[in-house]
């Protein structure tokens, strides 16, 4: 499975942005999917996850109420980010096939989100 994240960019605080993750090589419809982020000088942290059916979602406390993860189709997962804050600035990575809350089998390259104050 190859995962490609896209949609990052430079926005101002309070703006919205949607990042997407497209899978290829194998359908990911049967996998739970997730988003993580890593800010400069910090460790990678969990952001959100969605079950294979899309019926269950999980969020980090820091983004709860502002971010929404969704499955757009069999091979695309998106993260809608509203009311962005400067502390949301990070490289955002998508992942597939959740094994533990923070362990996934497949990882994609990140997309950079920069939020200016």
């Amino acid at each position: 499975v190859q995962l490609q994240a896209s949609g990052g960019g430079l926005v101002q605080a309070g703006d919205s942005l949607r990042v997407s993750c497209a899978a290829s090589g194998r359908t990911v419809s049967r996998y739970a999917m997730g988003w993580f982020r890593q800010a400069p000088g910090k460790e990678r942290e969990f952001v959100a996850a969605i079950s294979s059916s899309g019926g269950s979602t999980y969020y980090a406390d820091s983004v709860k109420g502002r971010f929404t993860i969704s499955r757009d189709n069999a091979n695309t997962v998106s993260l809608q980010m509203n009311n962005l804050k400067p502390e949301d600035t990070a490289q955002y990575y998508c992942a597939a096939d959740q094994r533990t809350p923070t362990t996934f089998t497949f990882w994609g390259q990140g997309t950079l989100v920069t939020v200016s104050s």
Side-chain angles (χ1 to χ4, degrees):
V1 175
Q2 292 79 47
L3 303 173
Q4 180 64 55
S6 63
L10 173 63
V11 297
Q12 294 185 331
D15 284 351
S16 297
L17 195 65
R18 185 179 183 91
V19 292
S20 295
C21 175
S24 61
R26 188 190 308 173
T27 180
V28 293
S29 59
R30 63 190 180 98
Y31 295 142
M33 304 284 291
W35 283 96
F36 289 74
R37 67 186 181 186
Q38 187 168 20
K42 295 188 177 181
E43 293 185 353
R44 185 175 64 192
E45 64 174 357
F46 168 79
V47 175
I50 188 166
S51 63
S52 56
S53 68
S56 297
T57 55
Y58 310 90
Y59 298 95
D61 288 342
S62 58
V63 307
K64 201 171 294 184
R66 300 188 298 122
F67 289 14
T68 302
I69 188 171
S70 62
R71 304 190 77 110
D72 300 333
N73 55 51
N75 280 350
T76 304
V77 174
S78 294
L79 185 68
Q80 176 68 39
M81 304 181 288
N82 298 329
N83 190 23
L84 282 161
K85 304 176 180 181
E87 52 264 42
D88 294 319
T89 295
Q91 195 82 7
Y92 282 72
Y93 299 89
C94 61
D97 191 16
Q98 186 177 27
R99 298 307 183 99
T100 71
T102 58
T103 304
F104 286 72
T105 304
F106 306 106
W107 292 85
Q109 293 183 328
T111 186
L112 180 62
V113 174
T114 304
V115 185
S116 64
S117 58

